[in-house]
Short mmCIF file of all heavy atoms in Angstrom, two decimals:
data_model
loop_
_atom_site.label_atom_id
_atom_site.label_comp_id
_atom_site.label_asym_id
_atom_site.label_seq_id
_atom_site.Cartn_x
_atom_site.Cartn_y
_atom_site.Cartn_z
N MET A 1 -33.89 -22.08 77.93
CA MET A 1 -35.13 -22.84 77.78
C MET A 1 -35.02 -24.12 78.61
O MET A 1 -33.99 -24.78 78.60
CB MET A 1 -35.36 -23.16 76.31
CG MET A 1 -36.58 -24.00 76.02
SD MET A 1 -38.19 -23.40 76.57
CE MET A 1 -38.22 -21.75 75.94
N ASN A 2 -36.06 -24.44 79.27
CA ASN A 2 -36.12 -25.63 80.11
C ASN A 2 -36.19 -26.88 79.24
O ASN A 2 -37.16 -27.08 78.49
CB ASN A 2 -37.34 -25.53 81.04
CG ASN A 2 -37.40 -26.64 82.03
OD1 ASN A 2 -36.90 -27.72 81.82
ND2 ASN A 2 -38.07 -26.36 83.14
N ALA A 3 -35.19 -27.73 79.35
CA ALA A 3 -35.14 -28.96 78.55
C ALA A 3 -36.30 -29.88 78.89
O ALA A 3 -36.82 -30.58 78.01
CB ALA A 3 -33.81 -29.67 78.76
N ASN A 4 -36.73 -29.88 80.14
CA ASN A 4 -37.86 -30.73 80.54
C ASN A 4 -39.15 -30.29 79.86
O ASN A 4 -39.98 -31.13 79.48
CB ASN A 4 -38.04 -30.72 82.06
CG ASN A 4 -36.94 -31.46 82.76
OD1 ASN A 4 -36.32 -32.37 82.24
ND2 ASN A 4 -36.68 -31.06 84.00
N LEU A 5 -39.34 -28.97 79.72
CA LEU A 5 -40.52 -28.46 79.04
C LEU A 5 -40.53 -28.88 77.57
O LEU A 5 -41.55 -29.32 77.04
CB LEU A 5 -40.58 -26.94 79.15
CG LEU A 5 -41.73 -26.25 78.43
CD1 LEU A 5 -43.09 -26.75 78.91
CD2 LEU A 5 -41.63 -24.75 78.59
N LEU A 6 -39.39 -28.74 76.91
CA LEU A 6 -39.31 -29.15 75.51
C LEU A 6 -39.59 -30.64 75.36
O LEU A 6 -40.32 -31.05 74.45
CB LEU A 6 -37.94 -28.82 74.93
CG LEU A 6 -37.67 -27.36 74.60
CD1 LEU A 6 -36.25 -27.17 74.10
CD2 LEU A 6 -38.67 -26.85 73.58
N LYS A 7 -39.02 -31.45 76.23
CA LYS A 7 -39.24 -32.90 76.18
C LYS A 7 -40.72 -33.22 76.38
O LYS A 7 -41.29 -34.06 75.68
CB LYS A 7 -38.37 -33.61 77.23
CG LYS A 7 -38.46 -35.09 77.19
CD LYS A 7 -37.92 -35.64 75.90
CE LYS A 7 -37.91 -37.17 75.94
NZ LYS A 7 -37.57 -37.75 74.66
N ALA A 8 -41.35 -32.54 77.34
CA ALA A 8 -42.77 -32.77 77.61
C ALA A 8 -43.62 -32.40 76.40
O ALA A 8 -44.55 -33.12 76.04
CB ALA A 8 -43.21 -31.99 78.84
N MET A 9 -43.29 -31.28 75.76
CA MET A 9 -44.03 -30.87 74.57
C MET A 9 -43.84 -31.85 73.42
O MET A 9 -44.77 -32.16 72.70
CB MET A 9 -43.61 -29.46 74.15
CG MET A 9 -44.08 -28.36 75.08
SD MET A 9 -45.87 -28.20 75.14
CE MET A 9 -46.20 -27.57 73.51
N GLU A 10 -42.61 -32.34 73.26
CA GLU A 10 -42.35 -33.33 72.21
C GLU A 10 -43.14 -34.60 72.46
O GLU A 10 -43.69 -35.20 71.53
CB GLU A 10 -40.85 -33.61 72.13
CG GLU A 10 -40.06 -32.46 71.55
CD GLU A 10 -38.56 -32.63 71.67
OE1 GLU A 10 -38.09 -33.56 72.35
OE2 GLU A 10 -37.83 -31.80 71.08
N LEU A 11 -43.20 -35.03 73.72
CA LEU A 11 -43.99 -36.21 74.06
C LEU A 11 -45.47 -35.99 73.78
O LEU A 11 -46.16 -36.88 73.28
CB LEU A 11 -43.78 -36.59 75.53
CG LEU A 11 -42.41 -37.15 75.90
CD1 LEU A 11 -42.27 -37.29 77.42
CD2 LEU A 11 -42.18 -38.49 75.22
N ALA A 12 -45.96 -34.79 74.09
CA ALA A 12 -47.36 -34.48 73.84
C ALA A 12 -47.67 -34.49 72.34
O ALA A 12 -48.71 -35.01 71.92
CB ALA A 12 -47.70 -33.12 74.44
N VAL A 13 -46.77 -33.93 71.55
CA VAL A 13 -46.95 -33.92 70.10
C VAL A 13 -47.01 -35.36 69.57
O VAL A 13 -47.89 -35.72 68.79
CB VAL A 13 -45.83 -33.12 69.40
CG1 VAL A 13 -45.79 -33.39 67.91
CG2 VAL A 13 -45.99 -31.63 69.69
N ASN A 14 -46.09 -36.19 70.04
CA ASN A 14 -46.08 -37.59 69.59
C ASN A 14 -47.34 -38.33 70.03
O ASN A 14 -47.89 -39.13 69.25
CB ASN A 14 -44.83 -38.30 70.12
CG ASN A 14 -43.57 -37.85 69.44
OD1 ASN A 14 -43.59 -37.39 68.30
ND2 ASN A 14 -42.45 -37.93 70.13
N ALA A 15 -47.79 -38.06 71.24
CA ALA A 15 -49.01 -38.73 71.73
C ALA A 15 -50.22 -38.34 70.91
O ALA A 15 -51.07 -39.19 70.58
CB ALA A 15 -49.23 -38.39 73.21
N GLU A 16 -50.32 -37.08 70.54
CA GLU A 16 -51.45 -36.62 69.72
C GLU A 16 -51.40 -37.26 68.34
O GLU A 16 -52.44 -37.66 67.80
CB GLU A 16 -51.45 -35.10 69.60
CG GLU A 16 -51.79 -34.37 70.86
CD GLU A 16 -53.20 -34.59 71.37
OE1 GLU A 16 -54.09 -34.98 70.60
OE2 GLU A 16 -53.43 -34.36 72.57
N ALA A 17 -50.22 -37.37 67.76
CA ALA A 17 -50.08 -37.99 66.44
C ALA A 17 -50.48 -39.46 66.51
O ALA A 17 -51.19 -39.95 65.61
CB ALA A 17 -48.65 -37.85 65.93
N GLN A 18 -50.07 -40.14 67.54
CA GLN A 18 -50.42 -41.55 67.69
C GLN A 18 -51.92 -41.71 67.90
O GLN A 18 -52.53 -42.63 67.32
CB GLN A 18 -49.66 -42.18 68.85
CG GLN A 18 -48.19 -42.35 68.57
CD GLN A 18 -47.43 -42.90 69.76
OE1 GLN A 18 -47.97 -43.10 70.84
NE2 GLN A 18 -46.14 -43.12 69.59
N ALA A 19 -52.52 -40.85 68.69
CA ALA A 19 -53.96 -40.92 68.93
C ALA A 19 -54.72 -40.67 67.63
O ALA A 19 -55.66 -41.39 67.30
CB ALA A 19 -54.36 -39.91 70.01
N ARG A 20 -54.31 -39.65 66.88
CA ARG A 20 -54.97 -39.37 65.60
C ARG A 20 -54.89 -40.55 64.67
O ARG A 20 -55.90 -40.97 64.09
CB ARG A 20 -54.31 -38.14 64.94
CG ARG A 20 -54.90 -37.79 63.60
CD ARG A 20 -53.94 -37.07 62.69
NE ARG A 20 -52.69 -37.82 62.58
CZ ARG A 20 -51.54 -37.26 62.24
NH1 ARG A 20 -51.45 -35.98 62.03
NH2 ARG A 20 -50.45 -37.99 62.15
N ASP A 21 -53.72 -41.13 64.56
CA ASP A 21 -53.54 -42.28 63.67
C ASP A 21 -54.38 -43.48 64.12
O ASP A 21 -54.94 -44.20 63.29
CB ASP A 21 -52.07 -42.67 63.59
CG ASP A 21 -51.22 -41.60 62.92
OD1 ASP A 21 -51.78 -40.68 62.28
OD2 ASP A 21 -49.99 -41.67 63.05
N ARG A 22 -54.47 -43.67 65.43
CA ARG A 22 -55.27 -44.78 65.96
C ARG A 22 -56.74 -44.60 65.65
O ARG A 22 -57.41 -45.53 65.23
CB ARG A 22 -55.04 -44.91 67.47
CG ARG A 22 -55.82 -46.03 68.10
CD ARG A 22 -55.31 -47.38 67.64
NE ARG A 22 -56.06 -48.43 68.31
CZ ARG A 22 -56.46 -49.54 67.73
NH1 ARG A 22 -56.14 -49.79 66.48
NH2 ARG A 22 -57.15 -50.42 68.39
N TYR A 23 -57.25 -43.37 65.82
CA TYR A 23 -58.67 -43.13 65.51
C TYR A 23 -58.95 -43.26 64.03
O TYR A 23 -60.02 -43.73 63.63
CB TYR A 23 -59.11 -41.76 66.05
CG TYR A 23 -59.32 -41.77 67.54
CD1 TYR A 23 -58.54 -40.97 68.36
CD2 TYR A 23 -60.27 -42.59 68.14
CE1 TYR A 23 -58.72 -40.98 69.75
CE2 TYR A 23 -60.46 -42.61 69.51
CZ TYR A 23 -59.67 -41.80 70.29
OH TYR A 23 -59.85 -41.82 71.66
N LYS A 24 -58.00 -42.86 63.19
CA LYS A 24 -58.18 -43.05 61.75
C LYS A 24 -58.27 -44.54 61.42
O LYS A 24 -59.09 -44.96 60.59
CB LYS A 24 -57.02 -42.42 60.97
CG LYS A 24 -57.11 -40.92 60.88
CD LYS A 24 -55.96 -40.38 60.03
CE LYS A 24 -56.05 -38.89 59.85
NZ LYS A 24 -54.97 -38.38 58.98
N GLU A 25 -57.43 -45.33 62.06
CA GLU A 25 -57.45 -46.78 61.84
C GLU A 25 -58.76 -47.38 62.33
O GLU A 25 -59.34 -48.23 61.66
CB GLU A 25 -56.25 -47.44 62.52
CG GLU A 25 -56.09 -48.90 62.23
CD GLU A 25 -55.94 -49.24 60.76
OE1 GLU A 25 -55.32 -48.45 60.03
OE2 GLU A 25 -56.48 -50.29 60.33
N LEU A 26 -59.21 -46.95 63.49
CA LEU A 26 -60.48 -47.45 64.02
C LEU A 26 -61.64 -47.07 63.09
O LEU A 26 -62.57 -47.86 62.92
CB LEU A 26 -60.72 -46.91 65.43
CG LEU A 26 -59.83 -47.49 66.52
CD1 LEU A 26 -59.98 -46.69 67.81
CD2 LEU A 26 -60.16 -48.96 66.75
N ALA A 27 -61.58 -45.90 62.50
CA ALA A 27 -62.62 -45.49 61.55
C ALA A 27 -62.65 -46.44 60.35
O ALA A 27 -63.73 -46.82 59.89
CB ALA A 27 -62.39 -44.05 61.10
N LYS A 28 -61.49 -46.81 59.88
CA LYS A 28 -61.42 -47.74 58.74
C LYS A 28 -62.01 -49.10 59.09
O LYS A 28 -62.58 -49.78 58.24
CB LYS A 28 -59.98 -47.93 58.28
CG LYS A 28 -59.37 -46.72 57.61
CD LYS A 28 -57.94 -47.00 57.24
CE LYS A 28 -57.25 -45.77 56.70
NZ LYS A 28 -55.83 -46.03 56.43
N GLN A 29 -61.85 -49.50 60.35
CA GLN A 29 -62.31 -50.83 60.78
C GLN A 29 -63.76 -50.85 61.25
O GLN A 29 -64.32 -51.90 61.48
CB GLN A 29 -61.41 -51.33 61.92
CG GLN A 29 -59.98 -51.54 61.50
CD GLN A 29 -59.09 -51.89 62.70
OE1 GLN A 29 -59.57 -52.15 63.79
NE2 GLN A 29 -57.79 -51.87 62.47
N ALA A 30 -64.35 -49.67 61.41
CA ALA A 30 -65.71 -49.58 61.94
C ALA A 30 -66.70 -50.33 61.05
O ALA A 30 -66.61 -50.25 59.82
CB ALA A 30 -66.14 -48.13 62.09
N GLU A 31 -67.60 -51.03 61.66
CA GLU A 31 -68.56 -51.83 60.91
C GLU A 31 -69.82 -51.06 60.53
O GLU A 31 -70.56 -51.50 59.66
CB GLU A 31 -68.94 -53.08 61.73
CG GLU A 31 -67.74 -54.01 61.91
CD GLU A 31 -68.10 -55.27 62.66
OE1 GLU A 31 -69.30 -55.50 62.91
OE2 GLU A 31 -67.17 -56.04 62.98
N ASP A 32 -70.05 -49.93 61.18
CA ASP A 32 -71.22 -49.15 60.82
C ASP A 32 -70.82 -47.68 60.60
O ASP A 32 -69.80 -47.21 61.11
CB ASP A 32 -72.32 -49.24 61.90
CG ASP A 32 -71.86 -48.71 63.23
OD1 ASP A 32 -71.25 -49.47 64.01
OD2 ASP A 32 -72.09 -47.51 63.49
N GLN A 33 -71.64 -46.98 59.85
CA GLN A 33 -71.31 -45.61 59.46
C GLN A 33 -71.26 -44.67 60.66
O GLN A 33 -70.38 -43.81 60.73
CB GLN A 33 -72.33 -45.09 58.45
CG GLN A 33 -72.02 -43.69 57.98
CD GLN A 33 -72.98 -43.19 56.93
OE1 GLN A 33 -73.91 -43.88 56.55
NE2 GLN A 33 -72.73 -42.00 56.43
N GLU A 34 -72.15 -44.82 61.62
CA GLU A 34 -72.16 -43.92 62.76
C GLU A 34 -70.85 -44.01 63.55
O GLU A 34 -70.28 -42.99 63.93
CB GLU A 34 -73.34 -44.25 63.67
CG GLU A 34 -73.51 -43.30 64.82
CD GLU A 34 -74.74 -43.57 65.66
OE1 GLU A 34 -75.63 -44.32 65.21
OE2 GLU A 34 -74.80 -43.04 66.78
N THR A 35 -70.38 -45.21 63.76
CA THR A 35 -69.12 -45.40 64.49
C THR A 35 -67.96 -44.86 63.68
O THR A 35 -67.07 -44.19 64.22
CB THR A 35 -68.92 -46.89 64.80
OG1 THR A 35 -70.03 -47.36 65.57
CG2 THR A 35 -67.63 -47.13 65.57
N ARG A 36 -67.97 -45.11 62.37
CA ARG A 36 -66.92 -44.61 61.51
C ARG A 36 -66.87 -43.07 61.57
O ARG A 36 -65.79 -42.49 61.72
CB ARG A 36 -67.13 -45.05 60.06
CG ARG A 36 -66.04 -44.55 59.10
CD ARG A 36 -66.24 -45.02 57.67
NE ARG A 36 -67.58 -44.75 57.16
CZ ARG A 36 -68.00 -43.56 56.68
NH1 ARG A 36 -67.18 -42.53 56.69
NH2 ARG A 36 -69.22 -43.41 56.22
N LEU A 37 -68.01 -42.44 61.47
CA LEU A 37 -68.06 -40.98 61.52
C LEU A 37 -67.57 -40.45 62.86
O LEU A 37 -66.89 -39.41 62.92
CB LEU A 37 -69.48 -40.49 61.23
CG LEU A 37 -69.96 -40.70 59.79
CD1 LEU A 37 -71.44 -40.33 59.68
CD2 LEU A 37 -69.13 -39.93 58.80
N LEU A 38 -67.91 -41.13 63.94
CA LEU A 38 -67.46 -40.71 65.26
C LEU A 38 -65.94 -40.76 65.35
O LEU A 38 -65.30 -39.80 65.78
CB LEU A 38 -68.07 -41.61 66.33
CG LEU A 38 -67.57 -41.37 67.76
CD1 LEU A 38 -67.94 -39.97 68.25
CD2 LEU A 38 -68.09 -42.43 68.70
N PHE A 39 -65.35 -41.88 64.92
CA PHE A 39 -63.89 -42.00 64.96
C PHE A 39 -63.22 -40.97 64.04
O PHE A 39 -62.15 -40.44 64.37
CB PHE A 39 -63.44 -43.42 64.63
CG PHE A 39 -63.67 -44.41 65.73
CD1 PHE A 39 -64.18 -45.66 65.45
CD2 PHE A 39 -63.37 -44.11 67.04
CE1 PHE A 39 -64.39 -46.60 66.46
CE2 PHE A 39 -63.57 -45.02 68.06
CZ PHE A 39 -64.07 -46.27 67.76
N GLU A 40 -63.81 -40.70 62.90
CA GLU A 40 -63.25 -39.69 61.99
C GLU A 40 -63.27 -38.31 62.64
O GLU A 40 -62.31 -37.54 62.51
CB GLU A 40 -63.99 -39.69 60.66
CG GLU A 40 -63.70 -40.90 59.81
CD GLU A 40 -64.56 -40.97 58.56
OE1 GLU A 40 -65.55 -40.20 58.44
OE2 GLU A 40 -64.25 -41.81 57.69
N GLN A 41 -64.37 -38.00 63.35
CA GLN A 41 -64.46 -36.70 64.03
C GLN A 41 -63.41 -36.60 65.13
O GLN A 41 -62.74 -35.58 65.28
CB GLN A 41 -65.87 -36.51 64.62
CG GLN A 41 -66.00 -35.25 65.46
CD GLN A 41 -65.76 -33.97 64.68
OE1 GLN A 41 -66.11 -33.88 63.50
NE2 GLN A 41 -65.15 -33.00 65.31
N ILE A 42 -63.25 -37.66 65.91
CA ILE A 42 -62.25 -37.65 66.98
C ILE A 42 -60.85 -37.49 66.38
O ILE A 42 -60.02 -36.75 66.90
CB ILE A 42 -62.35 -38.90 67.86
CG1 ILE A 42 -63.71 -38.93 68.58
CG2 ILE A 42 -61.21 -38.95 68.87
CD1 ILE A 42 -64.00 -40.23 69.31
N ALA A 43 -60.60 -38.16 65.25
CA ALA A 43 -59.30 -38.04 64.59
C ALA A 43 -59.05 -36.60 64.17
O ALA A 43 -57.93 -36.09 64.31
CB ALA A 43 -59.23 -38.97 63.38
N ARG A 44 -60.07 -35.91 63.67
CA ARG A 44 -59.92 -34.51 63.27
C ARG A 44 -59.61 -33.63 64.48
O ARG A 44 -58.79 -32.71 64.41
CB ARG A 44 -61.17 -34.01 62.55
CG ARG A 44 -61.30 -34.51 61.12
CD ARG A 44 -62.39 -33.79 60.36
NE ARG A 44 -63.71 -34.03 60.93
CZ ARG A 44 -64.50 -35.07 60.63
NH1 ARG A 44 -64.09 -35.98 59.76
NH2 ARG A 44 -65.69 -35.19 61.18
N GLU A 45 -60.27 -33.93 65.60
CA GLU A 45 -60.01 -33.17 66.82
C GLU A 45 -58.57 -33.39 67.30
O GLU A 45 -57.90 -32.44 67.71
CB GLU A 45 -61.00 -33.56 67.90
CG GLU A 45 -62.42 -33.09 67.60
CD GLU A 45 -63.46 -33.63 68.54
OE1 GLU A 45 -63.10 -34.27 69.55
OE2 GLU A 45 -64.66 -33.41 68.28
N GLU A 46 -58.12 -34.63 67.24
CA GLU A 46 -56.74 -34.92 67.62
C GLU A 46 -55.77 -34.21 66.69
O GLU A 46 -54.72 -33.73 67.13
CB GLU A 46 -56.48 -36.43 67.61
CG GLU A 46 -57.27 -37.21 68.64
CD GLU A 46 -56.90 -36.91 70.08
OE1 GLU A 46 -55.87 -36.26 70.35
OE2 GLU A 46 -57.67 -37.32 70.97
N ASP A 47 -56.12 -34.11 65.42
CA ASP A 47 -55.26 -33.42 64.46
C ASP A 47 -55.17 -31.94 64.80
O ASP A 47 -54.09 -31.33 64.69
CB ASP A 47 -55.79 -33.63 63.04
CG ASP A 47 -54.75 -33.31 61.99
OD1 ASP A 47 -53.59 -33.75 62.14
OD2 ASP A 47 -55.09 -32.61 61.03
N MET A 48 -56.28 -31.34 65.23
CA MET A 48 -56.24 -29.93 65.65
C MET A 48 -55.35 -29.77 66.89
O MET A 48 -54.56 -28.81 66.96
CB MET A 48 -57.65 -29.42 65.94
CG MET A 48 -58.48 -29.22 64.69
SD MET A 48 -60.08 -28.39 64.97
CE MET A 48 -60.87 -29.49 66.16
N HIS A 49 -55.45 -30.69 67.83
CA HIS A 49 -54.58 -30.64 69.01
C HIS A 49 -53.11 -30.74 68.57
O HIS A 49 -52.26 -30.00 69.08
CB HIS A 49 -54.87 -31.80 69.96
CG HIS A 49 -56.25 -31.82 70.51
ND1 HIS A 49 -56.81 -32.96 71.02
CD2 HIS A 49 -57.19 -30.85 70.62
CE1 HIS A 49 -58.04 -32.69 71.43
NE2 HIS A 49 -58.30 -31.42 71.21
N LEU A 50 -52.85 -31.66 67.66
CA LEU A 50 -51.49 -31.87 67.18
C LEU A 50 -50.93 -30.59 66.55
O LEU A 50 -49.79 -30.19 66.82
CB LEU A 50 -51.46 -33.01 66.17
CG LEU A 50 -50.15 -33.29 65.45
CD1 LEU A 50 -49.05 -33.65 66.45
CD2 LEU A 50 -50.33 -34.41 64.43
N LYS A 51 -51.73 -29.93 65.74
CA LYS A 51 -51.28 -28.70 65.09
C LYS A 51 -50.98 -27.61 66.11
O LYS A 51 -49.96 -26.92 66.01
CB LYS A 51 -52.32 -28.23 64.07
CG LYS A 51 -52.36 -29.11 62.84
CD LYS A 51 -53.43 -28.69 61.87
CE LYS A 51 -53.46 -29.65 60.69
NZ LYS A 51 -54.55 -29.37 59.77
N LYS A 52 -51.86 -27.46 67.09
CA LYS A 52 -51.64 -26.43 68.13
C LYS A 52 -50.38 -26.72 68.93
O LYS A 52 -49.57 -25.82 69.18
CB LYS A 52 -52.85 -26.35 69.06
CG LYS A 52 -54.06 -25.71 68.43
CD LYS A 52 -55.22 -25.69 69.40
CE LYS A 52 -56.46 -25.13 68.73
NZ LYS A 52 -57.61 -25.14 69.65
N LEU A 53 -50.23 -27.97 69.35
CA LEU A 53 -49.04 -28.32 70.14
C LEU A 53 -47.77 -28.17 69.31
O LEU A 53 -46.75 -27.72 69.81
CB LEU A 53 -49.16 -29.73 70.68
CG LEU A 53 -50.13 -29.91 71.84
CD1 LEU A 53 -50.34 -31.40 72.13
CD2 LEU A 53 -49.63 -29.20 73.07
N SER A 54 -47.83 -28.55 68.05
CA SER A 54 -46.66 -28.42 67.17
C SER A 54 -46.25 -26.96 67.00
O SER A 54 -45.06 -26.63 67.01
CB SER A 54 -46.95 -29.03 65.80
OG SER A 54 -47.13 -30.42 65.92
N GLU A 55 -47.25 -26.08 66.87
CA GLU A 55 -46.96 -24.65 66.75
C GLU A 55 -46.31 -24.12 68.03
O GLU A 55 -45.36 -23.34 67.97
CB GLU A 55 -48.24 -23.88 66.45
CG GLU A 55 -48.77 -24.10 65.06
CD GLU A 55 -50.16 -23.53 64.85
OE1 GLU A 55 -50.71 -22.89 65.78
OE2 GLU A 55 -50.72 -23.71 63.75
N ARG A 56 -46.82 -24.53 69.17
CA ARG A 56 -46.24 -24.08 70.44
C ARG A 56 -44.85 -24.61 70.64
O ARG A 56 -43.96 -23.90 71.14
CB ARG A 56 -47.14 -24.48 71.60
CG ARG A 56 -48.42 -23.68 71.62
CD ARG A 56 -49.24 -23.92 72.81
NE ARG A 56 -50.47 -23.13 72.69
CZ ARG A 56 -51.40 -23.12 73.61
NH1 ARG A 56 -51.27 -23.82 74.70
NH2 ARG A 56 -52.49 -22.39 73.44
N LEU A 57 -44.64 -25.87 70.25
CA LEU A 57 -43.29 -26.45 70.36
C LEU A 57 -42.32 -25.69 69.47
O LEU A 57 -41.21 -25.37 69.90
CB LEU A 57 -43.33 -27.94 69.98
CG LEU A 57 -41.99 -28.66 69.97
CD1 LEU A 57 -41.32 -28.60 71.35
CD2 LEU A 57 -42.17 -30.11 69.54
N LYS A 58 -42.73 -25.37 68.27
CA LYS A 58 -41.87 -24.62 67.36
C LYS A 58 -41.53 -23.26 67.94
O LYS A 58 -40.38 -22.82 67.91
CB LYS A 58 -42.57 -24.45 66.01
CG LYS A 58 -41.76 -23.73 64.97
CD LYS A 58 -42.51 -23.63 63.66
CE LYS A 58 -41.73 -22.84 62.63
NZ LYS A 58 -42.46 -22.71 61.37
N ALA A 59 -42.53 -22.59 68.53
CA ALA A 59 -42.30 -21.28 69.15
C ALA A 59 -41.32 -21.39 70.32
O ALA A 59 -40.43 -20.55 70.47
CB ALA A 59 -43.62 -20.68 69.61
N LEU A 60 -41.47 -22.42 71.12
CA LEU A 60 -40.56 -22.62 72.25
C LEU A 60 -39.13 -22.81 71.77
O LEU A 60 -38.19 -22.27 72.36
CB LEU A 60 -40.99 -23.83 73.10
CG LEU A 60 -42.20 -23.63 73.99
CD1 LEU A 60 -42.62 -24.96 74.61
CD2 LEU A 60 -41.91 -22.61 75.08
N LYS A 61 -38.98 -23.58 70.71
CA LYS A 61 -37.63 -23.84 70.19
C LYS A 61 -37.02 -22.56 69.61
O LYS A 61 -35.83 -22.34 69.74
CB LYS A 61 -37.69 -24.92 69.10
CG LYS A 61 -37.91 -26.31 69.69
CD LYS A 61 -37.92 -27.37 68.61
CE LYS A 61 -38.05 -28.77 69.20
NZ LYS A 61 -38.08 -29.81 68.17
N MET A 62 -37.87 -21.72 69.02
CA MET A 62 -37.36 -20.46 68.46
C MET A 62 -36.93 -19.49 69.56
O MET A 62 -36.02 -18.70 69.37
CB MET A 62 -38.42 -19.82 67.56
CG MET A 62 -38.65 -20.58 66.27
SD MET A 62 -39.98 -19.88 65.28
CE MET A 62 -39.23 -18.34 64.80
N MET A 63 -37.61 -19.58 70.70
CA MET A 63 -37.27 -18.70 71.83
C MET A 63 -35.93 -19.09 72.44
O MET A 63 -35.30 -18.29 73.10
CB MET A 63 -38.37 -18.75 72.89
CG MET A 63 -39.63 -18.08 72.44
SD MET A 63 -41.07 -18.19 73.55
CE MET A 63 -40.39 -18.53 75.14
N GLY A 64 -35.56 -20.34 72.18
CA GLY A 64 -34.27 -20.81 72.64
C GLY A 64 -34.22 -21.07 74.08
O GLY A 64 -33.41 -21.11 74.85
#
């Protein structure tokens, strides 16, 4: 298994987690409901990305 590929996937997983957390925080700080809902939706999308990337990373690690 290519170590660079694993490292890149790990970085992508971490970036998605950070983005999700940031959008959740922005939603909490939003002053109006429309903005809050937008940030919550983006956070959910980032969470879906995170789950997909995490599954692929796990599969890559299993392949060895």
Side-chain angles (χ1 to χ4, degrees):
M1 177 57 51
N2 186 334
N4 289 333
L5 177 60
L6 285 177
K7 183 65 175 172
M9 289 296 291
E10 289 170 351
L11 290 172
V13 166
N14 289 334
E16 291 294 339
Q18 289 176 357
R20 179 206 52 204
D21 294 346
R22 180 68 178 140
Y23 284 117
K24 284 183 177 183
E25 186 59 35
L26 288 169
K28 290 179 187 176
Q29 296 173 11
E31 295 183 7
D32 61 274
Q33 182 177 1
E34 185 176 345
T35 302
R36 180 179 52 80
L37 291 173
L38 174 64
F39 285 137
E40 288 174 348
Q41 175 62 36
I42 296 171
R44 285 191 296 273
E45 291 172 8
E46 295 294 347
D47 197 46
M48 287 188 302
H49 299 159
L50 175 60
K51 288 177 183 175
K52 287 179 184 179
L53 286 171
S54 294
E55 289 170 4
R56 289 187 182 181
L57 177 59
K58 182 179 177 182
L60 285 172
K61 287 182 176 180
M62 290 176 68
M63 289 175 22

